[in-house]
Amino acid sequence: LRERYFCTFYDAIRVMLPAGLWFREVERFSLAEDAKWETSQASTEDMKAICRLLSELGGETEEAVLKKAESRRAEKDFDFSGHRVLMVEDETVSAEMAIELLHRAHLEVDRAENGEQAVELFRSAMPGTYSAILMDIRMPVMDGYEAARAIRISGHPQAKKIPIIAVTAHAFSDSLAAVISAGMNDHVVKPIQPDNLLRVLARHLEQ
């Protein structure tokens, strides 16, 4: 039970408070990175009480708070230093959230807003620039399926080998068949779960 409530006070607060309120609270209480309250310094009951309080403040269940805190803790297990990915995402908010997550895992990110931009960025990139491509499926101008096919036949030295990971709102078998048919290697389902995305990336970047 103690392991289940391993979330730190710092991590739990960060996942619950809006960014602006978070920074105001940091300034007010001088809560810094070196002031983390780890499980080793708090009892299981203490951690349960923290999560219960945060759930009441944020209007979420204790289970939801724990899941978020555990996801943030899982991020610390990944270090993709030295790698860069091309993320293809037309929605700005979704892109910013994903980029923040990837940066926390020490991964460099370039963004394309549609499939056409992605193909051009990949074609013009020096070999070895990108370790993988995160490809949204539904986009204007050129969708993810078409972009993946264009990348595979682009003639770039990495065209046949670079991992292309589909980011899709559908997990149905026919959708996954379309992903494979378009030349993509793997997929993650929206809304993105941080630990799942990082594990899928690790599977391909560590090969």
Side-chain angles (χ1 to χ4, degrees):
L1 181 63
R2 185 181 180 83
E3 292 180 357
R4 186 164 184 269
Y5 290 94
F6 64 74
C7 59
T8 64
F9 182 72
Y10 172 86
D11 284 341
I13 287 288
R14 287 207 68 175
V15 299
M16 288 302 301
L17 294 182
L21 180 57
W22 159 248
F23 287 115
R24 288 199 295 275
E25 292 302 300
V26 168
E27 184 177 12
R28 179 180 174 188
F29 295 109
S30 299
L31 180 62
E33 179 74 17
D34 59 1
K36 289 184 181 181
W37 185 6
E38 301 287 354
T39 304
S40 60
Q41 298 170 293
S43 69
T44 299
E45 290 305 312
D46 289 332
M47 301 314 296
K48 290 171 69 174
I50 289 170
C51 292
R52 187 178 304 114
L53 172 61
L54 292 173
S55 71
E56 292 172 358
L57 290 173
E60 296 192 65
T61 65
E62 290 179 45
E63 289 294 326
V65 175
L66 284 169
K67 186 174 182 180
K68 286 184 179 181
E70 288 168 359
S71 291
R72 288 191 63 88
R73 186 61 172 266
E75 293 165 18
K76 300 174 185 177
D77 295 334
F78 297 93
D79 186 346
F80 298 128
S81 298
H83 289 284
R84 178 182 295 271
V85 299
L86 175 58
M87 183 179 67
V88 194
E89 172 60 67
D90 63 307
E91 295 182 358
T92 300
V93 173
S94 296
E96 289 175 350
M97 292 175 63
I99 289 171
E100 180 185 354
L101 165 65
L102 297 173
H103 281 173
R104 289 200 296 266
H106 308 288
L107 187 61
E108 296 298 320
V109 185
D110 291 337
R111 179 195 170 198
E113 296 183 4
N114 58 61
E116 186 175 81
Q117 285 185 12
V119 174
E120 291 306 312
L121 278 173
F122 179 75
R123 281 176 175 164
S124 62
M126 293 290 293
T129 297
Y130 298 117
S131 300
I133 299 172
L134 293 172
M135 183 71 74
D136 189 24
I137 296 300
R138 300 183 64 180
M139 295 179 292
V141 184
M142 180 185 290
D143 67 24
Y145 298 123
E146 188 177 353
R149 292 188 183 97
I151 286 170
R152 290 302 188 208
I153 63 172
S154 65
H156 188 280
Q158 287 181 277
K160 302 295 185 182
K161 298 184 296 182
I162 189 166
I164 303 178
I165 300 166
V167 182
T168 174
H170 304 290
F172 303 115
S173 58
D174 55 344
S175 298
L176 300 184
V179 164
I180 300 301
S181 177
M184 290 181 262
N185 306 82
D186 215 326
H187 77 286
V188 293
V189 178
K190 288 184 175 182
I192 291 175
Q193 299 297 319
D195 54 340
N196 183 48
L197 173 59
L198 296 176
R199 291 182 194 285
V200 170
L201 278 168
R203 190 156 63 229
H204 295 281
L205 297 185
E206 294 173 0
Q207 290 181 356

